Amino acid sequence: MRITVLAGGVGAARFLRGLKHAAPDAEITVIGNTGDDITLYGLRVCPDLDTVMYTLGRGINTQQGWGRAAETFSVRAELAAYGASPEWFTLGDRDFATHILRSQLLASGLPLSAVTEVLCRRWRPGARLLPMSDDPVETHITLADGEPRTVHFQEWWVRMGAEPAAAAITAVGAARARPAPGVLDAIDAADLVLFPPSNPVVSIGTILAVPGIAAAVAAKTVVGVSPIIGGAPVRGMADACLAAIGVDTSAAAVGAHYGRDLVDGWLVDDTDKSAADDPGLAGIEVRALPLYMRDLPATAAIARAALDLAVELR
Ligand code: GDP
Ligand code: CA
């Protein structure tokens, strides 16, 4: 079975571990969000690609959900001693090696997709990891109050804790970006496409903003997993992103936001089972089950339910 998954960072990576467990023989292609990418200290950092790569490659800091296991922070302390900025983004010593090598390879002329392949040779994630695009796309946030001001998504998310409301979220460069080599083929060739419980705005939304990707996905059988349980994002601040685009923080509203043209099936938590009767989800097959990715068995059960529903709807 060929499965293609659109992926953000932590939510996607956890789900993918469960998916590999539920479908050990499947050929999995992951299309990763690059809208969170940022250049820091001259190095290109791709947080979502790395979270997926480290998680599936068993190099992740499991408590945190991002960054490398058993990290140390000497380089960061040295940069701080120089007064280098930004001081609000944490990169560990082990993690730095990834960004140094990535930047070196990009500078030598390799596209991000080829660089990601090189990095994955070490991590052997057991899935093909493709950036959504080789062209730079960066999510920027226009702050709602005070002087009109736009900051990089990471500055809003990490430094400001998504505290000031966002008036607009823009995937800068997306309209001109081309899907990376292999992306459209992986969608076309897939038996089914899954949306893990990733941020619908700045993870999946950004991938879908790359011209051609949404249309290719819409042509497939797609099952999504709600990132919202009982009206709250389980981890993180996805509610701040949903508010910015005028979508309620509810499983039903997120499913309706994707819409029946894009998703065929929508998994919600047991707490949200009334979503099945929501008029906004008419035409979408809704199933309720526990969606908290507590541990590997619980997560594999969610992945299995997504696969079963997709096979049923094909
Ligand atoms: P990020 O790029 O690291 O923010 O990660 P993603 O975009 O892949 O996923 C983040 C989203 O995952 C969060 O906004 C949560 O709504 C969702 N999430 C995190 N943990 C869980 C969980 O255990 N169950 C479900 N259903 N959603 C989760
Ligand atoms: Ca992310």
Side-chain angles (χ1 to χ4, degrees):
M1 183 158 44
R2 291 191 188 138
I3 306 170
T4 295
V5 182
L6 307 194
V10 176
R14 273 183 169 256
F15 175 81
L16 284 162
R17 272 197 73 210
L19 179 65
K20 277 179 61 185
H21 196 76
D25 299 325
E27 221 180 279
I28 301 171
T29 301
V30 179
I31 299 173
N33 171 44
T34 59
D36 293 12
D37 294 7
I38 186 167
T39 300
L40 299 169
Y41 320 109
L43 303 175
R44 194 66 178 158
V45 179
C46 302
D48 283 357
L49 292 179
D50 288 350
T51 295
V52 170
M53 181 174 80
Y54 293 156
T55 301
L56 297 184
R58 298 179 176 279
I60 199 80
N61 176 326
T62 43
Q63 288 86 52
Q64 208 168 241
W66 52 271
R68 292 278 281 107
E71 235 342 337
T72 51
F73 297 91
S74 298
V75 174
R76 185 177 198 252
E78 289 295 311
L79 286 167
Y82 282 110
S85 61
E87 62 303 313
W88 46 263
F89 202 92
T90 305
L91 294 173
D93 298 333
R94 296 179 146 197
D95 200 16
F96 259 113
T98 303
H99 313 312
I100 291 168
L101 181 57
R102 174 187 291 120
S103 304
Q104 182 196 8
L105 294 171
L106 286 171
S108 79
L110 282 188
L112 182 62
S113 51
V115 173
T116 304
E117 196 181 324
V118 171
L119 298 176
C120 283
R121 268 181 223 149
R122 172 186 176 192
W123 291 105
R124 304 174 176 281
R128 193 158 63 117
L129 178 59
L130 302 174
M132 65 190 198
S133 179
D134 280 335
D135 301 321
V137 176
E138 278 191 1
T139 302
H140 290 186
I141 306 292
T142 306
L143 300 176
D145 38 306
E147 294 278 293
R149 190 157 75 98
T150 297
V151 297
H152 190 288
F153 168 73
Q154 297 294 357
E155 185 170 0
W156 180 62
W157 194 253
V158 177
R159 185 167 84 83
M160 304 175 179
E163 202 51 60
I169 300 181
T170 315
V172 177
R176 279 171 281 116
R178 291 151 302 171
V183 164
L184 294 181
D185 288 343
I187 298 169
D188 290 341
D191 295 303
L192 49 102
V193 174
L194 300 180
F195 291 180
S198 280
N199 189 307
V201 186
V202 296
S203 292
I204 308 246
T206 307
I207 301 171
L208 292 171
V210 175
I213 294 187
V217 168
K220 308 303 291 191
T221 302
V222 182
V223 170
V225 180
S226 173
I228 304 299
I229 298 180
V234 190
R235 301 176 174 89
M237 308 161 283
D239 46 335
C241 301
L242 289 166
I245 62 162
V247 173
D248 282 350
T249 301
S250 75
V254 172
H257 166 67
Y258 286 134
R260 56 188 286 184
D261 289 344
L262 205 53
V263 298
D264 304 281
W266 186 236
L267 300 186
V268 303
D269 188 77
D270 279 330
T271 326
D272 302 309
K273 58 172 174 285
S274 63
D277 305 319
D278 193 292
L281 294 181
I284 298 174
E285 192 64 31
V286 178
R287 295 285 157 82
L289 70 157
L291 284 192
Y292 183 58
M293 299 187 287
R294 185 181 320 280
D295 50 22
L296 186 57
T299 309
I302 297 168
R304 200 166 293 118
L307 289 174
D308 288 348
L309 181 55
V311 168
E312 190 186 317
L313 294 175
R314 271 178 70 194

